[in-house]
């Protein structure tokens, strides 16, 4: 399944990492940044409906390299390139269901290999893998994950998500990243879909101000996960850095769970001009604020590279301000 990718032997003196929920009780954890941005910076073309997942088909070794760059910068968690990988999306590329399942599992395997290589190179800290599951709108590849409201019922959305989550869970990641969720209907579907999979999950909304992209209050959105045992963290991603602080505080207050936060660089995508516009506003100087508000998993999303993640790691290594 993994082709010519053979993980190196791990030093026998290194123990396996703690389960991620236990680690979160001990210290904040550094997430990686924008995998697609890192792959594009390395010269890889990601156009088309599969986005970064196309390299699982064409260049899985490139995905290993991108994960490794974030690990070596200081990330503790690699997020797989399965955000836009779905059975339906692969089918449009002529890839059958069995092979699509293999590619979904491969997304976890290549992240595991990057962790193995990082440890061989001297990373003495625990490293984890988060299997990304993007929203239904990501499969459509038309930007609708930033709007939600697809015209589907919660039950229909659950039927879409469950088979992919079963395969990802079967590949044994440390956590499922239910990310860039635009509205509460899809959150309800995802929370149903992760039941009984045996892998913990985080639920992360994309937001605009104090509301989901579909316009629901964040108090209502976060409350859905408060009593779901499978969910070990709740928060936001793929949003403006300036919206993150208030959202972190709200998530912590409403759920009592650890909070996950990984905003974009602050730039905005100009669909007409096919380019990023505006200033970069993501800064490691925001990290102490997020940490104080309850964030335990902190990283970046689109356009946040290894250099910035290194700054986040250094900020979290400093004692919190009392």
């Amino acid at each position: 399944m993994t082709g010519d990718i053979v993980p190196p032997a791990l030093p026998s003196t290194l123990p396996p990492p703690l389960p991620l929920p236990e680690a979160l009780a001990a210290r904040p954890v550094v997430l990686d940044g924008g995998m697609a941005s890192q792959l594009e910076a390395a010269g890889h073309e990601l156009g088309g409906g599969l986005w970064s997942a196309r390299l699982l088909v064409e260049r899985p070794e490139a995905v290993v390299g991108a994960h490794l760059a974030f690990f070596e910068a200081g990330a503790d968690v690699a997020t797989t390139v399965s955000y836009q990988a779905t059975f339906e999306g692969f089918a449009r590329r002529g890839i059958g269901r069995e092979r699509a399942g293999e590619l979904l599992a491969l997304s976890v395997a290549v992240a595991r290999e990057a962790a193995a290589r990082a440890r061989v190179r001297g990373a003495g800290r625990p490293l984890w893998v988060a299997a990304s599951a993007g929203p239904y709108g990501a499969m459509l590849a038309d930007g609708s994950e930033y709007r939600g409201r697809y015209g589907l019922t919660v039950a229909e959305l659950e039927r879409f998500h469950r088979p992919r989550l079963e395969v990802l869970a079967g590949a044994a990641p440390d956590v499922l990243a239910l990310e860039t969720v635009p509205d509460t209907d899809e959150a309800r579907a995802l929370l149903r879909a992760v039941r009984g999979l045996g892998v913990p999950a985080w639920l992360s909304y994309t937001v605009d101000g104090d509301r989901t992209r579909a316009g629901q209050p964040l108090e209502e959105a976060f409350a859905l996960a408060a009593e779901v045992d499978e969910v070990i963290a709740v928060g936001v991603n793929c949003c403006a850095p300036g919206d993150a602080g208030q959202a972190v505080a709200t998530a912590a207050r409403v759920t009592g769970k650890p909070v996950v936060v990984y905003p974009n660089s602050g730039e905005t995508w100009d669909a007409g001009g096919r380019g990023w516009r505006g200033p970069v506003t993501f800064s490691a100087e925001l990290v102490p604020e997020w940490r104080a508000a309850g964030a335990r998993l902190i990283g970046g999303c689109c356009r946040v590279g290894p250099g910035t993640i290194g700054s986040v790691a250094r900020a979290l290594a400093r004692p919190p301000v009392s």
Side-chain angles (χ1 to χ4, degrees):
M1 181 179 67
T2 57
D4 60 355
I5 295 177
V6 179
L10 291 178
S12 60
T13 56
L14 290 178
L18 282 173
L20 186 57
E22 294 180 27
L24 293 179
R27 65 174 178 87
V29 169
V30 183
L31 302 182
D32 58 6
M35 275 292 290
S37 304
Q38 179 65 12
L39 289 164
E40 288 174 332
H44 300 289
E45 170 57 45
L46 304 183
L50 292 179
W51 201 32
S52 55
R54 70 181 288 178
L55 292 183
L56 293 172
V57 181
E58 300 170 1
R59 292 284 306 279
E61 181 65 31
V63 181
V64 176
H67 284 311
L68 186 57
F70 281 113
F71 278 140
E72 294 189 328
D76 302 314
V77 179
T79 308
T80 64
V81 294
S82 51
Y83 171 81
Q84 208 152 314
T86 63
F87 288 108
E88 294 80 359
F90 281 127
R92 294 192 191 113
R93 284 282 304 270
I95 297 171
R97 196 168 186 86
E98 181 178 357
R99 178 57 176 156
E102 291 175 349
L103 291 167
L104 283 164
L106 178 61
S107 72
V108 176
V110 296
R112 285 281 184 220
E113 185 187 349
R117 291 189 189 181
R119 296 179 80 182
V120 166
R121 295 185 186 187
R125 65 191 188 280
L127 302 175
W128 295 275
V129 171
S132 171
Y136 179 84
M139 181 272 296
L140 299 177
D142 62 358
S144 58
E145 69 258 51
Y146 299 109
R147 299 187 298 272
R149 311 282 88 185
Y150 314 115
L152 301 178
T153 66
V154 171
E156 288 170 330
L157 288 167
E158 181 184 359
R159 286 195 293 272
F160 166 78
H161 284 295
R162 177 73 185 198
R164 175 174 56 150
L165 290 171
E166 288 176 341
V167 172
L168 289 172
D174 298 291
V175 64
L176 296 166
L178 313 177
E179 57 181 353
T180 324
V181 179
D183 66 41
T184 54
D185 280 355
E186 189 148 31
R188 287 187 177 92
L190 285 161
L191 293 172
R192 291 183 188 179
V194 297
R195 290 174 182 164
L197 292 180
V199 178
W202 78 57
L203 176 68
S204 180
Y205 290 93
T206 179
V207 303
D208 185 7
D210 62 353
R211 292 179 176 266
T212 68
R213 295 282 186 161
Q216 299 107 346
L218 288 184
E219 289 88 347
E220 171 190 335
F222 292 137
L224 296 176
E227 303 301 324
V228 179
D229 291 340
E230 288 85 355
V231 175
I232 62 169
V234 179
V236 294
N237 78 289
C238 210
C239 62
D243 287 340
Q246 180 181 358
V248 168
T250 301
R253 173 174 53 81
V254 170
T255 70
K257 294 179 182 283
V259 179
V260 56
V261 57
Y262 49 119
N264 292 335
S265 67
E267 300 160 280
T268 56
W269 175 251
D270 178 357
R274 304 298 298 172
W276 292 89
R277 303 286 184 266
V280 172
T281 58
F282 188 111
S283 169
E285 293 179 1
L286 296 168
V287 168
E289 172 194 344
W290 299 340
R291 182 180 187 177
R296 303 294 286 176
L297 300 107
I298 302 176
C301 201
C302 300
R303 305 279 286 179
V304 177
T308 304
I309 293 303
S311 297
V312 171
R314 289 189 291 275
L316 286 175
R318 295 190 287 269
V321 177
S322 58

